[in-house]
Amino acid sequence: MLLLLLLTSAFPLVPWAGAGRIIGGSEVKPHSWPYMAHLSIQNKSNHFTCGGFLIRSDAVLSAAHCVAGKKNVTVTVTLGAHNVEKREPSQQKLRVRHWVIHPKYSKDTSENDIMLLKLEPKAKQTNEVSYISMSSQNERVKPGTKCNVAGWGRTSITGSGSSVLMEVDLEVQSDEVCEDLFKDYLNESMICLGDKKLRKAAFQGDSGGPLVCNGKAHGIVSYGPQNSIFPEVFTRVSYFVPWIREELRKFALQDLPDPPSSD
Ligand SMILES: *[C@@H]1O[C@H](CO)[C@@H](O)[C@H](O)[C@H]1NC(C)=O
Ligand SMILES: *[C@@H]1O[C@H](CO)[C@@H](O)[C@H](O)[C@H]1NC(C)=O
């Protein structure tokens, strides 16, 4: 699999390669995804990017595989961006000092592919920056539901990343579709999506970005198959609501993890 950032039971997509792309999508109307976050993750020798999304003025959700296992990295979140290669007046760029990777995240199975980043200072809410509600605990989107995903990832399998934010719609598939293909697919904590006609997908570089169904964040771009673009697996946000709430409570108490060491 490709971590779509990419991971599959067999082959996590390596985010350093610039994983994640939206295939078959179109450029978003600028700032129509005001909760969208661009993550830049780098150390002295490597740089890669992921997506994420603002769920509170001081918290961004993303995928664990974007940061897990990387050494000496600094993480910078940019909010309010449309073209990430430009300095737009709407942009808020924040260096992240604290993040929490789910303690049961597994690189091998992509289980619990979720990470919460604390913003300090908080994001300023503007016309271009605001947060999105998460799905409620245990709420499940039915197969056939149309959802949207956005990212600055690659726009073709061989192409490069996109400077402007792209979006694509994908349909929720039954769990069986992913269970048949991915031996580590878990119906409780993952959502199966895709476009059966193989025209549309999230791709490398899109990892960590939000899957929005009926106006709420239901998923996080996680992984896909190595040699195809269908189907794809998203972290199921509703399953993690209790974990997210607990971590947000710790944020409020300043009960924070030690700052990750930077070189
Ligand atoms: C940067 O991260 C990569 C991946 O974890 C690691 O192999 C490399 O040693 C790191 N470089 C530095 C300078 O820490
Ligand atoms: C998930 O899969 C298990 C085992 O295959 C099954 O018993 C359970 O009902 C499924 N849960 C949902 C919510 O579909």
Side-chain angles (χ1 to χ4, degrees), residues 74 76 81 87 93 213 262:
T74 60
T76 306
R87 277 207 207 167
K93 225 177 244 260
C213 315
S262 58

Side-chain angles (χ1 to χ4, degrees), residues 22-23 27 30 49 61 69 78-79 99 121-122 192 205 222 224 228 263:
I22 295 289
I23 293 178
E27 182 175 346
T49 63
L61 264 190
T78 306
L79 301 166
W99 59 80
K122 294 179 183 180
C192 186
S222 182
S228 173
D263 50 0

Side-chain angles (χ1 to χ4, degrees), residues 92-194:
Q92 295 180 39
K93 225 177 244 260
L94 305 162
R95 165 90 182 265
V96 179
R97 293 198 177 72
H98 301 282
W99 59 80
V100 191
I101 290 169
H102 195 286
K104 294 201 175 132
Y105 164 65
S106 161
K107 178 163 92 52
D108 299 326
T109 64
S110 293
E111 247 175 280
N112 308 306
D113 191 6
I114 186 168
M115 163 174 75
L116 194 59
L117 304 111
K118 179 170 171 79
L119 302 184
E120 238 181 331
K122 294 179 183 180
K124 282 192 215 68
Q125 292 214 54
T126 63
N127 287 337
E128 296 86 13
V129 176
S130 59
Y131 57 82
I132 183 169
S133 305
M134 297 183 289
S135 58
S136 339
Q137 187 176 349
N138 297 327
E139 183 181 349
R140 295 179 70 88
V141 270
K142 293 200 179 67
T145 307
K146 288 268 194 203
C147 302
N148 288 281
V149 59
W152 287 276
R154 291 194 221 173
T155 51
S156 74
I157 293 181
T158 52
S160 57
S162 170
S163 52
V164 294
L165 186 61
M166 304 289 286
E167 69 183 331
V168 73
D169 60 294
L170 297 174
E171 199 175 304
V172 178
Q173 305 292 319
S174 68
D175 292 311
E176 289 75 26
V177 171
C178 281
E179 281 162 0
D180 287 349
L181 199 68
F182 306 114
K183 71 175 168 45
D184 296 314
Y185 182 81
L186 294 170
N187 62 3
E188 289 192 324
S189 59
M190 300 177 186
I191 313 182
C192 186
L193 280 109

